[in-house]
Amino acid sequence: MKTYIISCIEYIVQYFSYLKFNSALFNSTYMVAHNLSGHQERPDMDSFCSLAVSVDCVIFGSDQDQLKVLLMPCHEPGHQGQWILPGDTVQVQEELDAAAHRVSQTIAGTDFPHLSQLQAFGSVQRHPAARVISVAYYTLVHLRENNFPLPGELRWFLLKDLPALAFDHGTIVTAARDRLQQKLQEQPPDLRLLPRRFSFRELQDLYEAVLDHKLDRRNFRKKVLAMNLLVDLHEAESNVSHRPAKIYGRQPD
């Protein structure tokens, strides 16, 4: 009985130690998050577990045979003239996915579909203001089908000709491009990445833009048809100078 009572006391002590640890973690994270928003002074960087969590969105845009990335100018001291991905600090009571869609809607002006979580980036010195861990998201939109109005200072840049990027955003873009390539080459590919309507020429343009190399037309057509993923819409291109090509759609999500 005595042993049992001692075990119970030890458990209670450990439990309250756990509560104290999580309270300190919450308060530190909350303070840094408010500092990044400009509402509160940053605590001593040597204090216990001072960190914040943010989301950054890599929004790729396919434009015929070109792949673009959506960027915004960086106004952080010491990084003027550089560009960054749309992103923001995750709010205390906010889920990561909800934060990514909020960034998409409020900063980029459109709630881009199919935002997929990429990975976390947590290098200690990645952000000058504080210890910030970023969870990156990515998506691919088709600019031929969607005329997205760009608010504020946002701009599309060719992936092959990006401006100087601040922090580790160049690393994030590269990781997102690699994941996008992987998703298109899977068997079957992620159909959400395909346009709603397309000819084989337009589909091949998309693949070549993402993979960054040319594909044999005959082999590409044969490979895509063998996957049995496309829907013949029984339509043809219009207002073209060449022989109209058949129009296909993707299988429903």
Side-chain angles (χ1 to χ4, degrees):
M1 186 67 170
K2 181 178 179 181
T3 303
Y4 174 75
I5 293 174
I6 294 175
S7 297
C8 289
I9 294 174
E10 290 176 345
Y11 174 79
I12 292 171
V13 171
Q14 291 175 0
Y15 177 73
F16 277 98
S17 297
Y18 169 81
L19 291 180
K20 182 178 180 181
F21 169 84
N22 280 276
S23 176
L25 175 62
F26 174 84
N27 290 333
S28 301
T29 304
Y30 182 82
M31 290 173 67
V32 176
H34 273 248
N35 169 67
L36 292 179
S37 301
H39 299 308
Q40 185 168 334
E41 296 250 337
R42 176 165 59 91
D44 180 7
M45 290 303 294
D46 293 329
S47 62
F48 178 79
C49 204
S50 297
L51 61 85
V53 178
S54 68
V55 293
D56 289 302
C57 297
V58 187
I59 301 169
F60 292 108
S62 68
D63 190 3
Q64 297 182 357
D65 60 348
Q66 297 179 326
L67 191 63
K68 300 180 178 180
V69 181
L70 192 61
L71 300 174
M72 57 191 293
C74 180
H75 299 295
E76 185 77 26
H79 294 275
Q80 290 89 347
Q82 298 180 330
W83 293 74
I84 55 175
L85 298 163
D88 197 10
T89 305
V90 179
Q91 298 174 4
V92 175
Q93 298 295 331
E94 190 175 35
E95 300 289 346
L96 286 172
D97 288 357
H101 284 283
R102 173 175 58 81
V103 166
S104 172
Q105 180 68 60
T106 60
I107 297 181
T110 301
D111 190 2
F112 291 99
H114 312 309
L115 277 169
S116 299
Q117 192 176 116
L118 176 62
Q119 68 181 72
F121 295 83
S123 175
V124 174
Q125 302 297 331
R126 64 175 302 275
H127 197 287
R131 177 72 195 278
V132 182
I133 296 174
S134 176
V135 179
Y137 284 74
Y138 74 100
T139 190
L140 173 65
V141 296
H142 304 285
L143 302 182
R144 179 177 57 85
E145 292 184 344
N146 304 281
N147 183 22
F148 297 110
L150 295 183
E153 303 172 292
L154 268 73
R155 281 184 54 192
W156 290 106
F157 286 89
L158 289 175
L159 181 60
K160 291 184 175 181
D161 191 22
L162 292 180
L165 300 181
F167 318 131
D168 59 351
H169 286 201
T171 300
I172 297 176
V173 170
T174 298
R177 180 207 61 196
D178 292 346
R179 179 67 60 83
L180 186 62
Q181 292 177 343
Q182 173 190 339
K183 289 295 183 181
L184 271 186
Q185 294 182 95
E186 287 178 349
Q187 301 292 333
D190 187 344
L191 294 180
R192 298 174 302 173
L193 300 176
L194 304 184
R196 290 187 294 270
R197 300 161 52 87
F198 49 85
S199 66
F200 260 99
R201 175 183 54 80
E202 291 168 336
L203 185 62
Q204 183 167 339
D205 283 346
L206 169 63
Y207 268 74
E208 290 179 345
V210 172
L211 301 179
D212 195 27
H213 64 78
K214 293 295 183 181
L215 301 170
D216 180 80
R217 179 181 176 186
R218 182 175 298 180
N219 289 340
F220 176 76
R221 183 183 183 92
K222 181 179 179 181
K223 181 178 180 179
V224 171
L225 288 176
M227 289 188 284
N228 197 30
L229 299 174
L230 306 186
V231 177
D232 188 345
L233 299 181
H234 304 289
E235 300 177 24
E237 291 179 314
S238 59
N239 301 321
V240 293
S241 58
H242 52 78
R243 180 182 176 182
K246 294 180 67 175
I247 299 296
Y248 294 85
R250 63 191 185 195
Q251 294 282 4
D253 294 344

